[in-house]
Amino acid sequence: MEKSEWSDRQLEEMLRQMPKIEDYRNPRDIYQNLSIKIKRGKRKSWVLPSFATAAVLLLLFIILAPNLTNWSQNSSEDSMKQKSTSSENKITAQLKSEKKDSSSKSAQKIGTPKLFMQSANLKNALYKNELGSRKFLTYWIPDQQGQILIPVSTLINHPGNKSWVDLFNEKTAQLKEKEWGLSDFYPLNAKMKLDTNDDSIIIDVPANHSYGEGSATETSFINAIEKNVSTNSNIKKVKFTTNGNPGIILGNYGEKKELDIQLEQNHANFFFIPDGKEIPFIVPSQKSYTDVAAALESMWSDQPEWGLKASLPPSLKFRVDAIKNKTLFLSVQDSSNLENIPMSVYSYEAILLTAKEFGLEHVMLENPPIKNLGPFDLLKENEVPVAPNLRTVEDQP
């Protein structure tokens, strides 16, 4: 065979003019196959052409190798990007799913609006039309810090002819303070009885009582006695005895023989939510207000010094329009929004209980944002409750 007259430059120029070759094989495979083919050459006449072919292929390899390497890297990067995108999509989908499940579980905890609104038993307060032949009692229980007193009302299914004092003593052992997130305060380490001679209550404590140990303890004791008597009766005086002898010794009060009972009114109502609980207690404010408008105005703000939360949502705005025939008329702003959910029901009950504080009997919302709120028809006047925070202490019929 004649010697090739092509120079290296001509070969290079020719290779540049050749069509683009795409080889998806690994460069290592190309080189390995090349070596094998060279070794297998048997005829001497093919040695020089084989070298020439090898040279061409080697040049091809040198030219194509960088492109193949880049392609391999790009392919790897694309693959990683696809995997990363796929993983991100999976994580996003999972988070969305978890968020949805969490929201669903949260809704189940409070009760879905539809199911909640169909049940009158899920109101917080007690109303006159729910009493029938039953009686109710309200116990004032300190919170776990002993800072404020929480009113908790209970229904007595078979009161018989017993006095409220007898029923009060009888039911204290059934209270579920710890379950409600409150302090374990009852039964009192005292005997309470009615003195029919002068229409008063006698509170008799043992000599080793602990109600004088610390200002918080004695304040809770005195305030609870005062509120229990004023809420459940019209009695105006309490007499203290120790082992039947007149008077009780208290640290800050000294010796106290009697306590005048005054009905406290004109309070706003706020939410108190014990740790780990979802349903709030509706609690009267520590201070009284000059009028119902001022009391309602305060209910949009927290009272952190007492651990009380605002009971009115910022989305609900209204003003006192009028008070006629013991009915409070509230004019609701057009921009107001009220969701048909349990917390909105409790907010409305806080309004009803505040109206009751000022001697009113009904509340009417003018231009309400929704027609029905739980068991309440907002297009009608609604009666104020007879007692707040109804809780079960015995089986209901």
Side-chain angles (χ1 to χ4, degrees), residues 308-354:
L308 299 176
K309 299 292 184 182
S311 53
L312 296 181
S315 60
L316 176 65
K317 292 295 182 183
F318 57 80
R319 61 179 175 80
V320 175
D321 191 33
I323 297 176
K324 299 176 183 177
N325 300 323
K326 293 191 175 183
T327 297
L328 175 65
F329 292 87
L330 300 176
S331 179
V332 182
Q333 294 180 7
D334 291 337
S335 59
S336 289
N337 180 40
L338 190 63
E339 291 184 272
N340 196 7
I341 59 175
M343 289 302 286
S344 297
V345 174
Y346 305 146
S347 293
Y348 186 61
E349 289 188 299
I351 295 173
L352 295 175
L353 286 164
T354 301

Side-chain angles (χ1 to χ4, degrees), residues 131 133-137 154-157 159-162 167:
L131 276 175
S133 60
R134 298 177 292 183
K135 290 184 179 180
F136 70 91
L137 292 170
T154 65
L155 274 173
I156 312 298
N157 291 325
N161 295 321
K162 297 177 182 179
L167 292 170

Side-chain angles (χ1 to χ4, degrees), residues 123 126-132 383 386:
K123 292 179 294 186
L126 174 65
Y127 296 82
K128 187 177 180 180
N129 61 358
E130 298 172 332
L131 276 175
E383 192 173 17
V386 295

Side-chain angles (χ1 to χ4, degrees), residues 153-287:
S153 302
T154 65
L155 274 173
I156 312 298
N157 291 325
H158 307 289
N161 295 321
K162 297 177 182 179
S163 69
W164 76 267
V165 177
D166 292 335
L167 292 170
F168 189 94
N169 290 329
E170 181 182 314
K171 300 300 178 182
T172 53
Q174 299 179 6
L175 298 178
K176 306 172 183 176
E177 297 110 303
K178 288 186 177 179
E179 181 181 318
W180 299 330
L182 306 176
S183 65
D184 189 6
F185 191 71
Y186 295 97
L188 295 173
N189 186 21
K191 295 178 181 178
M192 184 169 65
K193 63 180 181 179
L194 180 63
D195 187 348
T196 56
N197 294 324
D198 60 356
D199 196 25
S200 64
I201 295 292
I202 298 175
I203 304 290
D204 185 61
V205 297
N208 63 348
H209 73 86
S210 59
Y211 295 120
E213 299 176 1
S215 60
T217 302
E218 63 187 45
T219 299
S220 293
F221 175 70
I222 292 296
N223 288 346
I225 293 296
E226 185 176 11
K227 291 182 180 294
N228 284 333
V229 174
S230 65
T231 304
N232 294 296
S233 73
N234 294 318
I235 291 174
K236 302 301 180 185
K237 182 180 288 187
V238 169
K239 295 183 289 188
F240 293 102
T241 61
T242 302
N243 282 341
N245 298 313
I248 181 175
I249 302 297
L250 300 173
N252 290 341
Y253 291 90
E255 184 180 14
K256 196 169 187 66
K257 292 184 177 180
E258 294 184 352
L259 177 65
D260 292 329
I261 303 299
Q262 296 179 351
L263 181 62
E264 297 181 358
Q265 291 181 309
N266 298 0
H267 297 95
N269 280 272
F270 295 85
F271 286 162
F272 177 78
I273 308 175
D275 292 341
K277 305 297 178 182
E278 294 182 354
I279 299 177
F281 288 100
I282 301 175
V283 181
S285 58
Q286 298 298 301
K287 62 173 286 187

Side-chain angles (χ1 to χ4, degrees), residues 369-390:
I370 53 178
K371 294 181 180 179
N372 295 294
L373 177 60
F376 298 104
D377 183 349
L378 297 185
L379 299 180
K380 298 179 180 179
E381 294 182 4
N382 284 291
E383 192 173 17
V384 301
V386 295
N389 304 318
L390 179 63

Side-chain angles (χ1 to χ4, degrees), residues 80-95:
M80 289 180 68
K81 285 180 181 179
Q82 288 176 358
K83 288 181 180 178
S84 176
T85 304
S86 177
S87 298
E88 288 176 3
N89 291 338
K90 286 180 181 178
I91 292 170
T92 303
Q94 185 177 356
L95 288 174

